[in-house]
Amino acid sequence: MKKNNITVENISDPSIQMADIKPEDLMPLPYPYDTPDAQPPLKKLTDEQKEKYESDLDGFLALKLPKPETKEEEEQLVRQFLGGLKKLLSKENNWTFLMPLLMSLEYCAKCQTCNDACPVYISSGKKEIYRPTYRSEVLRRIVNKYLKRGGRAFAKFTGNEIDLNWKTIARLAELSYRCTVCRRCTQTCPIGVDNALITHELRKLFSQEMGIAPEELHEKGSVQQLEKGSSTGMIKQAFTDIIEFIEEEIEEKTGKKIKIPIDKKGADILLIHNAGEFLSWPENPGAFAIIFEEAGLNWTFSSEIAGYDGVNYGVWYDDAQLARVAVQHVKAAKELGVKKIVVGECGHAHKALMVIADRVLNEDLNIPRESCLPLLADIVVNEKIKLDPQKNNFPVTLHDPCNMVRLMGIVEPQRKILRKIAPQFREMSQQGVTNYCCGGGSGFAIMSSLNMPDWRITVSGRMKFKQILETFQDVIDPDIRKMVCAPCSNCKGSIRDIFEYYDAWEKTGIAYTGLADLIVNAMVDIKGPFIEWPDEM
Amino acid sequence: MCGISWVQILSYLTFVIFAVGIASKVIKIYALPIHLRWELYPIPHEKAFSYGGSYFEEVDWWKRPREKNFLNFVKFLFIEILFVRVLYHNNRKMWHLSFPLHFGLYMVIGWLVLLFLAALLLALGLSNENGFILFLQGLATVLGVVGFVLAAVGCVGLIIRRATAEELQGYTAPIDYFNLIFILAVVVSGFIVWLFPDPHFLTTRGYIKSLITFSDAGPLGPGITLHITLFSLFIIYLPFTHMSHFVMKYFLWDKVLFEDDPNVRGGAVESRVAKVLNYKQTWSAPHMHAGGTWSETASRGVGNEEK
């Protein structure tokens, strides 16, 4: 049943807020969150924030767009948007995604088959503006009405009725940050139309033409990475200090004295992690160091600009930033003369460096790049290190990061590992290439301004939380410790925030960790457990 | 040529416009520059298609020979096109209507092909009483009649569904109803032709033969004339609408969702990428530095003053 009467045309109506997220409308969660009081209230914007920023899409803010002060300013912004849209449809400015974009704009049959595949739409209680087709239809109508010959004359007959004003643009910009670009919708399209791609292209238009992007992705993200070396702001000295800290931690926890190689010329492998791991979960890079050393690999970290931070936020919003960061990654590898780059447990770094930037890194920049997962699987399955699965004898499930699985087809290596090291490994109901996003995809995991985290946790992350709870329903007693293995830094961050918000450890006994951490936890010759449960920290 | 009627001229024009319309669409697609990879798994030509795996699952994947299972791709495409499998799995309500429409239209295409074949054989000298001609004619009649009925049922069902289902109403335009009614008119007129003036489609076959031999078609009657006219106008209209997805669907899959060719040094992808990296971009945001090539844009660092 339809929950509201919002239409595509309403996007230009300044008199309404288009959606209101109420706890009672959200998709129900399983036990022990199946009572109304289990859902904490969502944080609201203050009157001052509402006054200052364009917030009447749904009352949440990813962009913090200031309101134009004059009518002329509004008109100028509309002209700028249309100019950008023309560039988005030109081969010189947008060769990068022109073919997929044109075909997705042209051939949607509007059958709405994709709706039920979208975790955001379903979790929100089916809010109209979150339909995968909604923002695509807005853009399609603008293109058809304002850029095509005769578009205005036949707009009503051809279904392209829409008004283009500043309100339309401001809401469309904000709406482009209500999709995790997980592309589950595309899998279900009988024609192959890609609404997530349209979201991606909208973000690019706003960033590349109008300079509009979330500050966590641009100023504090890719710009900072290119200037300082990491989107976290971590400079070279801080990185080397953290490596020393990790070496000490390894010795303390495992009794192993390991010298982690940095800037080792001629190593076979340059290992690049998401820098968030070094700051939030240093045990994960530590686990990699233990495994690689134990397996006798000739590897190194880099301390050069971007060489120690594998993230590439450009992949979510800006082709130029994507290319610049990717080039820096490869230059760090070239400098060291390594044979290949191995990407650590970070989904978007995988996709950015191995898939999307593959057609940017030409000739001498084309250094082989591979995922850490097959390499780890090779070490574990071929018993290059000694493992005792009984050390991981607790229920474990696997979260499939969209970027590695649905968008890269890396499905089995992580499962081969878990089947070998976790006797109580169990799959989630939707797994492999049909998995659900953690809710933090496309940059949401690091977007933390104002009340955006509440939206991420309760709406975009809701389906993942539901899935995890359902997977462990038979052992949901908090006294039974259980683990979600999430081999992706951003996914871990998103899952961490969901668990904290809902007190998941206290109420269900569910914790999360990375894959390398579980492998080391199962190693025979380490003195104590490598994994720390939340009550042991 | 003096015996050529306006209906025949329309039919020839239909063939030419349809062929040119579809060809120009395909040529436009091929003329587009190479794009960044944006594949989506499972990919049918991958050897691990059964669970959605890819060559990225291998250590040192670039050292291994690339294995593409073309047959699997064809099989996938065949089943998808014929049975609309993705819709069947994800939107059964819609499939119950969309499948009869599409399958009905395929049968109508089959009807036309068989009639054309029979007409061609007759033009080449086979007799009306030839067993193979009779077989073709019988099969064509079955395909045609069943096809007309299925497509009509699908059309009516989709019109009703689009008008009544809440999730479709706001996204259905007058043109969508027009398209469905247009198809309905074509197939219903075909059915009426079978029902009354041409129960074995012999006149229709004779008409096709006249097109092949550029000869006088003889009297057709108002029913057949109406059907041929509607059919022709629809075929002329088709390439210029989103209904041309029946061809473009292939490109969306093969050139985008299943396109996982890696950029190998010295390979075809590399030279196509080299070309597009020299395109000049004119994006206006300060950090883009409009006017440079993409290659220059990519190799440029960003300082504070350029944010």
Side-chain angles (χ1 to χ4, degrees), chain A residues 87 92-93 96 109 113 128 183 190 194 209 318 324 340 358-359 362 366 370 406 408-409 411-412, chain B residues 35-36 38 41 54 57 60 91 162 171 175 249 259 261 263 270 282-285 287 294 297 304:
Chain A
K87 291 175 192 173
E92 288 78 12
N93 281 302
T96 48
T113 300
E128 184 67 25
R183 300 180 69 204
D194 195 336
E209 184 67 10
D318 191 302
R324 288 166 181 160
K340 64 182 174 185
D358 190 41
R359 290 175 184 174
N362 240 17
N366 193 354
E370 78 178 10
R406 179 163 37 252
M408 289 183 70
V411 186
E412 265 299 300
Chain B
H35 56 85
L36 298 184
W38 194 250
Y41 293 83
S54 74
E57 292 191 317
D60 292 343
N91 189 348
R162 286 208 168 265
Y171 295 79
I175 195 171
K249 187 167 167 167
E259 214 272 75
D261 288 339
N263 185 2
E270 188 178 73
T282 59
W283 291 99
S284 302
H287 72 278
W294 278 98
T297 304
N304 279 330

Side-chain angles (χ1 to χ4, degrees), chain A residues 183-374:
Chain A
R183 300 180 69 204
R184 221 172 170 271
C185 56
T186 314
Q187 280 183 321
T188 67
C189 178
I191 294 171
V193 166
D194 195 336
N195 290 301
L197 183 269
I198 291 177
T199 302
H200 178 262
E201 295 301 285
L202 268 170
R203 291 180 180 192
K204 275 170 46 186
L205 189 168
F206 286 112
S207 176
Q208 295 175 189
E209 184 67 10
M210 303 175 80
I212 295 172
E215 61 178 359
E216 296 93 337
L217 302 192
H218 190 64
E219 289 90 349
K220 293 179 181 173
S222 60
V223 171
Q224 185 159 241
Q225 186 176 16
L226 291 165
E227 282 175 359
K228 295 182 180 168
S230 167
S231 58
T232 60
M234 181 167 60
I235 56 170
K236 180 174 183 165
Q237 184 59 49
F239 168 69
T240 51
D241 287 350
I242 289 172
I243 295 300
E244 279 178 30
F245 166 76
I246 291 173
E247 286 169 345
E248 287 163 17
E249 283 287 294
I250 290 173
E251 187 169 4
E252 193 181 308
K253 281 172 92 169
T254 68
K256 287 180 179 293
K257 202 167 173 58
I258 287 177
K259 182 68 192 158
I260 294 178
I262 301 178
D263 298 330
K264 182 179 165 187
K265 295 253 179 193
D268 293 338
I269 295 169
L270 167 63
L271 177 62
I272 304 189
H273 289 296
N274 177 323
E277 298 283 359
F278 294 113
L279 297 176
S280 300
W281 304 283
E283 62 277 11
N284 181 269
F288 269 90
I290 295 167
I291 297 166
F292 279 21
E293 288 296 313
E294 200 72 17
L297 300 182
N298 180 15
W299 69 288
T300 185
F301 281 137
S302 163
S303 68
E304 287 307 309
I305 289 275
Y308 53 90
D309 189 356
V311 308
N312 190 338
Y313 296 171
V315 76
W316 299 318
Y317 78 101
D318 191 302
D319 287 341
Q321 295 297 83
L322 160 88
R324 288 166 181 160
V325 172
V327 167
Q328 292 303 321
H329 283 143
V330 173
K331 277 186 175 168
K334 245 179 93 176
E335 188 68 26
L336 294 169
V338 296
K339 291 181 182 153
K340 64 182 174 185
I341 299 173
V342 171
V343 187
E345 294 184 17
C346 176
H348 89 272
H350 267 71
K351 191 181 72 174
L353 197 56
M354 292 173 63
V355 177
I356 311 289
D358 190 41
R359 290 175 184 174
V360 175
L361 303 171
N362 240 17
E363 299 166 359
D364 62 332
L365 291 176
N366 193 354
I367 293 174
R369 305 170 302 279
E370 78 178 10
S371 165
C372 64
L373 298 178

Side-chain angles (χ1 to χ4, degrees), chain A residues 493-506:
Chain A
S494 180
I495 290 169
R496 171 196 59 200
D497 292 353
I498 295 170
F499 284 5
E500 282 175 10
Y501 187 86
Y502 287 105
D503 293 326
W505 171 252
E506 289 76 13

Side-chain angles (χ1 to χ4, degrees), chain A residues 63-81:
Chain A
L63 286 170
K64 290 196 279 189
L65 275 182
K67 292 182 177 173
E69 290 176 2
T70 62
K71 193 78 191 154
E72 289 70 36
E73 197 186 333
E74 282 192 13
E75 285 166 2
Q76 169 62 21
L77 286 163
V78 171
R79 280 195 296 274
Q80 214 180 341
F81 174 84

Side-chain angles (χ1 to χ4, degrees), chain B residues 44 70-81 85:
Chain B
F70 181 69
L71 205 63
N72 230 8
F73 172 66
V74 172
K75 193 174 132 196
F76 173 88
L77 214 60
F78 181 75
I79 294 174
E80 178 55 39
I81 289 171
R85 180 169 52 182

Side-chain angles (χ1 to χ4, degrees), chain A residues 444-516:
Chain A
F444 290 176
I446 49 141
M447 283 158 56
S448 53
S449 69
L450 303 176
N451 58 355
M452 196 57 195
D454 271 30
W455 185 88
R456 181 207 334 137
I457 291 164
T458 55
V459 180
S460 67
R462 194 173 194 80
M463 189 64 86
K464 179 51 65 181
F465 190 41
K466 177 172 180 270
Q467 236 190 329
I468 292 170
L469 291 169
E470 284 171 347
T471 304
F472 288 131
Q473 273 300 301
D474 61 321
V475 284
I476 204 71
D477 181 344
D479 290 337
I480 304 173
R481 296 172 167 204
K482 42 216 167 269
M483 192 63 87
V484 177
C485 172
C488 166
S489 193
N490 281 353
C491 298
K492 273 195 299 198
S494 180
I495 290 169
R496 171 196 59 200
D497 292 353
I498 295 170
F499 284 5
E500 282 175 10
Y501 187 86
Y502 287 105
D503 293 326
W505 171 252
E506 289 76 13
K507 292 180 179 172
T508 66
I510 306 174
Y512 69 93
T513 190
L515 183 61

Side-chain angles (χ1 to χ4, degrees), chain B residues 8-28:
Chain B
Q8 285 171 296
I9 292 170
L10 178 66
S11 296
Y12 290 129
L13 271 177
T14 301
F15 177 77
V16 172
I17 295 171
F18 178 78
V20 170
I22 292 294
S24 72
K25 285 219 163 196
V26 171
I27 289 167
K28 269 185 195 165

